[in-house]
Each structure stands twice: as structure tokens, then as C-alpha cells.
Amino acid sequence: MTASGGRDSDTGRIETFSDGVFAIAITLLIIEIGVPHVAGTESLFDKLVQLWPSYLGYAISFLVIGTVWANHHNRFRLISRSDHILLFLNVVFLMCVAFIPFPTALLAEYIREEKYRITAVAVYSGTLAVTAVFFTALWLYAAADYRLLDRTVDPLLLRAMTRRYVFGMLLYILAFALAFLSPTASLALIVILALIFVLPEPEGSRGARRSRRRSVRG
Amino acid sequence: MTASGGRDSDTGRIETFSDGVFAIAITLLIIEIGVPHVAGTESLFDKLVQLWPSYLGYAISFLVIGTVWANHHNRFRLISRSDHILLFLNVVFLMCVAFIPFPTALLAEYIREEKYRITAVAVYSGTLAVTAVFFTALWLYAAADYRLLDRTVDPLLLRAMTRRYVFGMLLYILAFALAFLSPTASLALIVILALIFVLPEPEGSRGARRSRRRSVRG
Amino acid sequence: MTASGGRDSDTGRIETFSDGVFAIAITLLIIEIGVPHVAGTESLFDKLVQLWPSYLGYAISFLVIGTVWANHHNRFRLISRSDHILLFLNVVFLMCVAFIPFPTALLAEYIREEKYRITAVAVYSGTLAVTAVFFTALWLYAAADYRLLDRTVDPLLLRAMTRRYVFGMLLYILAFALAFLSPTASLALIVILALIFVLPEPEGSRGARRSRRRSVRG
Amino acid sequence: MTASGGRDSDTGRIETFSDGVFAIAITLLIIEIGVPHVAGTESLFDKLVQLWPSYLGYAISFLVIGTVWANHHNRFRLISRSDHILLFLNVVFLMCVAFIPFPTALLAEYIREEKYRITAVAVYSGTLAVTAVFFTALWLYAAADYRLLDRTVDPLLLRAMTRRYVFGMLLYILAFALAFLSPTASLALIVILALIFVLPEPEGSRGARRSRRRSVRG
């Protein structure tokens, strides 16, 4: 097995396909921002400034999908086998990720109007919460009793990662609940979560990679 | 030949290109769902609920394309050579897959109106049936007399796979015919087929991979 | 150098990027076909039948881009080095390929109306002709004096390929000229060209691959 | 470690994901050009000619993104490790790249109307300037004290590259400033910059590759 084994292993095809979906979903976000129409003496600059919810939605969703991609990748470094249930959970998870452009456009359209704001933010944070639930389910399924994991992963590390993922999921669910009390607080929590989770778990990935290299050399 | 040979083999470039088309077609599905326009005292939540046919179409087509991707990938693990006819059949097959977002949008638009429902479901299931026909034609062409197959594939396994694919194709054609009697039954059959076929044939892939590893090591 | 060298060689990154652009351009074609709006007692089926120019445009462009992709790939199997000019010619060539969805939509919109038909078909065939010109320029630049080619390529094969590419380019230019006399004949020629060129030049690719394998083993 | 190591190294996954975003953003540009509507005795040809700002915007942005892609790729050939900050800077940089289709459409829509021209060109060149700033920040972060670089990179080469990137960034900022004086000069500078930077720094990439091969063989 060479260092390039990851691409051709049991899980390599899932990773490549998932990476494609992530890259496309993240790039499609821009399509939802339409060029404003200016008439008469209106200022194009003012019209562009008024589009701020679109830019905000674009930036948050880009950050969120970028984060989810990084975490998906790290996770699959530890998963060394696949089975039907993993494949199915991953397709449902990708269905959630590819759905994100829709609530993003909804958020951009309605965040300024007070009577629609809660609905828009709740649908947005709700989509992210459901995504997090399936992401965690995927991990719990693969990690339980090392079902699909690389056997060389340190059990302590494993427990730390599971704690991290479950905790992250609970915070996304909290963001959904917060939407009904304070849409602003909900969005703030989502941004903070993305900024925290963009960091690939340091010990996790390093530990996993070390063990992998060992198995390559040994 | 290293473990990464699959990517550079005769069929590797077809697989990579096809995977790209799958990933893009599946992610483009979300574009067809437009943000609803709310006016006056309308409820955004109600408007979003009314979009249920769009969510349903999105979910079914995502599942179907995900399934087709998984099966395409498994099949090409056994196909070790390519020729012009295979290349052509694959392009026509991809033309069908990339077409799926259109009947999905049609389904979402017209499934609620009784007088258009049969047409919408028939076009949708018809597209899937034609896709299945070309997929089966591709396999039959490659598999006949091991024309383009890995010679180490077990003949019993081969016969089981061919049976499976032909049977699947017949069920997709049945779904098309059902559309004219009961659009609901037609869609239900499509969902069931996707759920069954998302499972990569267990013995098939394992057997093929085993023989492949052998040839790598030997 | 392993069998996977192609992906990491000087030209590997150009190929991977180009493949991405091909896969996306070919899949974006479907976006141009909008769901028809039906009102009153109109038949959805009739409305769908009236969209035939869209299906035709989709099918022709899919075939053309699929063909161009296959030829691009074959050509880059023989090109073993890159330089700035090749990079630039390839970007301009991809600019033409990614442009194809626009004249395709134009063709679908105006092919039925006689007074616009010539313009629509001329723009469509003209785009393909310009694409072919840059494609041929790219090849001539790389192939002249084996500037960027694999040195093991047979000179006879090389001359045959150049003849083939120049001839193909001239036929695409002929299709453009034909648009002004008979739009139908122009489109027919384009379909025939795609069907001929979908076939990767048999001796060409086999010869190249043989020499490549030799250099891998040797 | 085989020659395919680059794909699986610490930075390989960032490169693959970034390449996907580049390829999709560049191909999505065509979506912004809508088919013109002709009525009565209008000439379709005239209508198509009037779309020249769209073609211009398409061509410039295609060239710019193609250039940025080539430079990103070259840079990552020298970056051999990644960390959280690099990952984050790269996501923000990609956020800028994927945003480019929006100011491109804005440019196409408003470049003909004098009162909107400065705003449209300023937003366009401003987006490119911000992209260049993050691109340079990413490089400076990775290159400072060889933080994430391949240790075998020649210090003289390194200094030359840094100079080149900082200088390029300053010119993009100049293009933004120029937009307020002469939109035409601003666009001209952008085209010139793209044509210069499409050339991968010759010594840079060759030197890096040589050292890399050495480490592979040694």
C-alpha cells in the first residue's frame, strides 16, 4: 500500500465524491445573489449596500460548508472501511450539505423583515442542525467498537473526538432553538461554531496520520 | 502497478469524468428550488410548507443519483478496458443522468395539480427508465464474453450481477408504466428501488476487489 | 515513476483542471432548459413536446463537449511537458468550451423562428469552430518539432494525428459557413463530426500508451 | 513516498478542494449571460452585439480566475505542511474567488451606463484586490521563516517570489484606485496583470520541482 492508498481504498471513492459535492455546493452559493436593478436617479452603490444580507449569508454559509468539508475529511482519515449503512448515511448527509444554498437564499431575502426573520433564521439554523445530526450519526456508526475505523487509532483520542462531535451537534441544535428567541444570537453562534470547527482537531489528525505512516512504512 | 492504478488505467479517466458529472448533477438539484415570495400578511412558514413537492423531488432525485453513482462505480471496478462503444454508451448514459434535474423540477411544479400529475410523473420515471436502459446496455456490452471485464471476475458472480441489473432496469420500466395508473405508486417504487440499489452488491465488490489485490501483489 | 505519474507530471494539473471544466460545462447545459408554464386547459405534454429544440440543443452540445473532452484527454497523453504558451492556449480553449452553454440556449430559443434561425445556428457553429481553432493551435504548438511531446511518439502517428485534427477543424469551419446556406445541414455536420470524433484515434492512443508503459517499466 | 504523494500530503486535500472551487467558479461565469429577447423586427444579431459587455466580463474574469488558479497551484507546490491558520486563510481566499461571478455580472450590466460605470468597475477591481490581499497574506504566512514551506526551497528564489506576489497585490490595489479616475484604465490594467501572471514563475516552479524530486528519490 502506497501513500496514495487513501484515494483507492474502500472509502476513497466516498471521499472523492463528497469533496466534489462540497466544492460545488460552496461555489453555487454565489448564484443566489442577483445583480440589483437600478432605475432613474437611484444610486447603484446604495442598492449594492442594501444587498448586505446576501453577502452575510454567502460568507456564513461559505464558512460553514468549508468547516464541514474540513471535518468530513479529517473524519474519513480515520475511517478505513465502508459498508452500506455508512454509504447511506453519507448520501443523506450530503443531501443536507447540498441543500444549504436554499436556506441561505431564504435568509438573505427575509432577514431584514421582522415578521419573517424568525422563520428564515430557524430554517437556516435548522438545516445546519439536521446536517450536524447526520454527521454525528455517521461518526457514531463508524466509531462504535471501531466498526469501520483504523484499528491503530488511540482509544483516548477516539473518545475525545466523539465528545467533540456530539458537543458540536448539541450547539447547532442550540442555535436552532435560539432562532426563536433571538435570530441574531442564533447566527452569531453559528459563526462562532464555524470559526472553532474550521480548526481540524490538532491531536486527532496528527495522531491518526502518525499511525497511518507507521503502517505504510512497517 | 500500485494501488492507485485504477485512476490511470484505461477506464480511470472515464470514471473520474463520470464522477464529476454525478457530483455536479446531484448538487445542481437545489438550484431548481426557488425562494418563495411572500406578500402582505402571508406566512412565510406556510409558503415554505407548500413547497413540499420541491423538497420531495430533491430528496428522491438525490437518492436516485447517489444510487446510480454507487452502482456506476462498482461496475467500473470490474471493467478493466475501454473501447469506443463503451465510451459512447457512457456519454449517452451521462446525458441521461445530467438531464434528471429537469424532470425533477417538472415534478415539483406539477405534482399537486391533478390534470398534470400523470404527465409529470411519467416524464420523471421515464427519464429514470431510459437512464436504466443505457446503464444496462453499457454493462451488457462490457460483460458479454468478458469483452472488457477483468478476467479474474468469478463467472457466477458475473451472472448474478447481470441478473440484478436487468431486473433493476425492468423495475424502472415498470415504474414508468405505473405512472399512468398511479403516479404515487410509481414514485414509491422509485424510492424503494433507490433504497435497495444504494447498497453496493456485497459479494460483487468484495470478490472483485479481492481478485484485484491479488493481481497487484502477484 | 509509478503508473499514477500522469496526474502529477508537468501536465497533470492542466488535465485535472480541464477535466473539471469539461464536467461542469457539460452538466450546466440542463440549467438552460426551463420548466414550461401551463395555464388553463393547455396540455403539459404538448408544452413539453414544443421544447424539442431545447432537448436537441442539449443532446448535440452534450455530445460535442463529451467528444472534445475525450480528444483533449488523448492529446494530453502525448504531451509530456508544459510551458507558458501551452498554459495560455489551454485557458483560452477552455474559455470557448465553457462558453458553449450560451449559444446552446440561443439555438434552443430561436431555431424555430425562421428569421432568427441563421443567426442562432451561425453563432452556435461559429463557437464550435473557434473552439476547434484553439484546440488545433494548442496541438500544433505542442507537436511542432516535438516541442512538448513525449519523444517516444512515432513520427508517422504524429503526422496522422495532426492531419486528423487540422481536417476536423476545417470541417467545423465548414459547418459555420454552411449555417448561412442551410442551418439544418450545418447542425447535421456538427452531429456527424461529434459522432466521428467521440472515437479516440485508435492507433494514436494505443501507440502512446505502449510507449509510456515501456518507459514506466524500463 | 511515490510521485503521487502531492495529492495525499498534508496540503493535497486543500489543493484538490481549491481546484474544484476554481473550476466551478470559472465555468459558472457563463450562467450570468442570459439569452437576449428579440421582438418584432429587431435583429437578433444586433441584440447579440449589444451584449459585448457580457462577453468582455466573461473573458476577463475567465482569464483572471485561470491565472489565480495557476498561481495557487504553483504556490502550493512549495508549501509542504498546513495548519489551522493556513486552512482558514485559504477558505477566505476561496470565498473571494467564488464571489467573482457576481461583480462580473454587475460589470456586464452597468459598464455601458456612464453614471453607474465607476461603481461597477470599482466593485469588480475591488473584489480582485481583496482576493489578491488574502492570496498574499496566505503566502506571507506560509513563507515567513519557512513556516510551512519545503525546506529545500532556495532562499533567493523565495525572496523573488515574495517580491513578485506583493508587487502583484499592489498593482491590483492600484487597479481599484484607478477605477475612480478611469474605469477603462482600471480594466486594462487587470487584463495586463492576468496576462503577466498566467505565466507560472519559471525558476520558481522548476526549482521547487527539482528539489521535490530529489527528496522523492533520496
Side-chain angles (χ1 to χ4, degrees), chain B residues 54-122:
Chain B
S54 294
Y55 312 138
L56 182 74
Y58 174 79
I60 297 180
S61 290
F62 205 100
L63 207 58
V64 167
I65 299 180
T67 301
V68 173
W69 163 74
N71 275 280
H72 187 271
H73 208 102
N74 283 332
R75 214 161 291 192
F76 268 84
R77 295 216 143 214
L78 303 184
I79 299 177
S80 59
R81 292 175 300 284
S82 79
D83 66 8
H84 304 169
I85 295 172
L86 184 81
L87 200 62
F88 181 74
L89 287 172
N90 194 60
V91 165
V92 176
F93 162 69
L94 291 178
M95 200 187 282
C96 297
V97 171
F99 191 76
I100 292 173
F102 174 70
T104 304
L106 198 76
L107 188 73
E109 185 78 21
Y110 291 110
I111 199 176
R112 267 171 311 190
E113 295 177 64
E114 223 194 310
K115 61 179 166 177
Y116 303 138
R117 191 177 296 143
I118 285 181
T119 307
V121 174

Side-chain angles (χ1 to χ4, degrees), chain C residues 76-154:
Chain C
F76 269 84
R77 294 216 146 215
L78 303 183
I79 300 177
S80 58
R81 291 176 300 284
S82 80
D83 66 7
H84 304 169
I85 295 171
L86 184 82
L87 201 61
F88 182 73
L89 287 173
N90 194 61
V91 165
V92 176
F93 161 69
L94 290 178
M95 202 187 281
C96 297
V97 171
F99 192 75
I100 292 174
F102 174 70
T104 304
L106 198 75
L107 188 74
E109 185 78 23
Y110 291 111
I111 199 175
R112 267 170 311 188
E113 296 176 64
E114 221 193 313
K115 60 179 168 179
Y116 302 137
R117 192 178 295 143
I118 286 182
T119 307
V121 174
V123 170
Y124 185 72
S125 55
T127 300
L128 300 188
V130 171
T131 308
V133 167
F134 279 108
F135 203 15
T136 307
L138 187 153
W139 171 253
L140 291 178
Y141 175 75
D145 294 325
Y146 282 74
R147 190 186 276 124
L148 303 172
L149 289 201
D150 189 334
R151 302 266 168 211
T152 60
V153 178
D154 177 4

Side-chain angles (χ1 to χ4, degrees), chain A residues 7-24:
Chain A
R7 291 269 132 194
D8 295 285
S9 70
D10 244 27
T11 59
R13 68 191 179 115
I14 299 182
E15 269 187 84
T16 309
F17 184 70
S18 305
D19 278 3
V21 171
F22 284 126
I24 299 153

